[in-house]
Amino acid sequence: MSDGNIVPQGMDGMAAFPAANGRIRLLRNHEIRNTATDSRRTTMSPTQLYDALGPGGVTTLEVDFNPDGSPYLVREWVSLAGTFANCAGGPTPWGSWISCEESVSGTASGWEKNHGYNFEVSAASDGQVVPVPLKAMGRFTHEAVAVDPDSGIVYQTEDRNPSGLYRFIPATPGTLQNGGRLEMLAVVGAPQADLRVGQTVGSTLTCEWVEIPVPDSDLGSLSSGFVFNQGHTLGGAWFARLEGCWYGNGSVYVNATSGGDAACGQVFRLTPLSATQSLLTLMFESPGVEVLDAPDNLCVSPRGGLVLCEDGDSNCYVRGLSRDGVLFDLVRNNESDAEWAGACFSPDGRVLFVNSQGSTNVAGALPSRTWAIWGPWDRGPL
């Protein structure tokens, strides 16, 4: 890369931001899972590492466009380092990327710092940012976030089964480091509702939020259910591996990767109703792997459709879900067990970027790639 580092493996969540002179910047997660005893890292910079043993992080890619509209890479560099298992995350309305650690592994496993946090990376940064764990947002197996631009509330998903759907109400909207309140979704009139099976497509539930008493822990060894169990005890609802999370059309869309009666995936829409209540609608449920196999990352298209990245067992697809509920194929990956991730559109809506994740170990054989797909996105079902 431009900073002398090798492009890291494990490409996962990603978002696109406007930059100077018509360029854009892609901020891209690297879900690297090498252990604390493995010396291979995203970067060897000694000055801006959260954990000197942490292999994961974020890279920034600056992209420009040829006269025919085709994109090309100008430069790229490490922008967050020393973290672990950076899975997905989400963009903020104030021009930053929230990168999420999908592990609560800590010092008891040999790390110098505890993990399981979110980190904020400015899209305007031309180098590595100082890593600051956003501890008030909770220590759990984070997957993705989506920010409501009107309220500044940050919605969060958790990749475990069972998992919860959370929201973080910042003390100062737009300044997450100032702390705030973490809450978990609960169904009104149905405490501890299990939404993993037995749901009807198109049905809507009225939901409320219960506060998580202790969102963070200094323990070197922590159960992945540390936050979930607190919320569930207070009535929080169960989901099956909530992963992708994206704001659009005045709502937050989330994927339950292994939810549904066939355990092949669900797509939910969460719409704020008031300061205390929200509406949860099941938009789609897969009847089998041939239709939709383990939807993971997602994004909302400029015209309001959904792009769904599969994380199934083989020949994963990027699929589209139109606003009227029609599912269709966009791209297929012929590499076995090669999940898609990080789908996002350029700010002008002309280019869809997406990652084929590749190996999440530095020594892994399956390559990681970032793809650009451009064309007449102003036409068609998306």
Side-chain angles (χ1 to χ4, degrees):
M1 297 190 292
S2 306
D3 61 1
N5 288 292
I6 300 297
V7 178
Q9 285 286 94
M11 297 172 183
D12 207 282
M14 185 168 63
F17 300 85
N21 302 317
R23 295 178 176 181
I24 68 167
R25 286 186 172 184
L26 294 171
L27 272 71
R28 180 182 63 193
N29 268 9
H30 295 272
E31 188 187 340
I32 300 176
R33 292 183 174 272
N34 289 69
T35 65
T37 58
D38 193 322
S39 61
R40 288 166 290 191
R41 307 282 167 250
T42 301
T43 173
M44 297 307 295
S45 169
T47 57
Q48 305 292 355
L49 295 170
Y50 168 66
D51 183 334
L53 303 178
V58 175
T59 53
T60 298
L61 294 75
E62 189 160 288
V63 177
D64 205 348
F65 298 89
N66 292 305
D68 66 356
S70 59
Y72 65 91
L73 181 64
V74 177
R75 56 185 180 136
E76 62 181 322
W77 61 92
V78 173
S79 46
L80 176 72
T83 50
F84 178 56
N86 297 68
C87 195
T92 72
W94 51 89
S96 63
W97 167 252
I98 306 300
S99 181
C100 302
E101 291 186 311
E102 193 191 28
S103 173
V104 294
S105 186
T107 54
S109 297
W111 302 106
E112 292 187 357
K113 299 280 187 66
N114 289 330
H115 295 271
Y117 296 114
N118 293 338
F119 295 82
E120 187 167 11
V121 184
S122 171
S125 174
D126 291 325
Q128 292 183 41
V129 301
V130 176
V132 177
L134 301 172
K135 295 186 175 183
M137 298 184 75
R139 185 181 172 199
F140 56 90
T141 53
H142 289 276
E143 174 69 29
V145 304
V147 183
D148 183 335
D150 295 326
S151 65
I153 293 175
V154 184
Y155 294 86
Q156 307 185 80
T157 56
E158 172 185 38
D159 189 1
R160 68 186 299 271
N161 190 8
S163 64
L165 179 57
Y166 305 93
R167 71 176 187 178
F168 177 70
I169 303 176
T172 308
T175 309
L176 304 180
Q177 295 184 23
N178 287 354
R181 184 170 75 253
L182 182 65
E183 299 177 333
M184 180 175 173
L185 180 136
V187 177
V188 172
Q192 301 181 339
D194 189 343
L195 305 180
R196 297 176 294 182
V197 294
Q199 305 304 301
T200 301
V201 174
S203 64
T204 297
L205 300 171
T206 301
C207 301
E208 57 191 358
W209 300 87
V210 297
E211 185 172 356
I212 302 297
V214 186
D216 184 31
S217 171
D218 291 330
L219 293 176
S221 177
L222 191 71
S223 166
S224 66
F226 169 71
V227 168
F228 173 84
N229 293 337
Q230 295 179 61
H232 182 250
T233 299
L234 297 173
W238 294 31
F239 294 87
R241 290 188 61 201
L242 285 182
E243 295 205 69
C245 186
W246 203 273
Y247 180 89
N249 305 323
S251 300
V252 174
Y253 296 87
V254 295
N255 282 334
T257 296
S258 56
D261 294 342
C264 293
Q266 300 163 304
V267 184
F268 289 95
R269 176 175 181 171
L270 181 74
T271 305
L273 187 62
S274 67
T276 58
Q277 291 191 334
S278 304
L279 298 178
L280 183 70
T281 302
L282 179 61
M283 294 184 59
F284 189 87
E285 180 172 305
S286 176
V289 295
E290 69 283 351
V291 175
L292 181 65
D293 187 9
D296 190 333
N297 286 188
L298 79 144
C299 73
V300 179
S301 77
R303 298 170 63 205
L306 300 184
V307 177
L308 308 176
C309 297
E310 285 189 340
D311 181 14
D313 291 333
S314 63
N315 300 131
C316 293
Y317 283 82
V318 178
R319 303 191 195 259
L321 183 64
S322 70
R323 295 191 68 172
D324 54 0
V326 176
L327 189 77
F328 56 95
D329 301 339
L330 283 175
V331 188
R332 185 180 73 176
N333 195 333
N334 290 334
E335 294 174 319
S336 179
D337 196 26
E339 71 172 270
W340 292 100
C344 59
F345 282 88
S346 58
D348 63 5
R350 291 190 298 130
V351 181
L352 171 65
F353 296 95
V354 66
N355 298 320
S356 47
Q357 186 186 70
S359 303
T360 56
N361 187 289
V362 171
L366 191 62
S368 302
R369 303 182 178 96
T370 295
W371 304 89
I373 307 168
W374 64 95
W377 290 113
D378 56 334
R379 302 199 303 270
L382 276 180

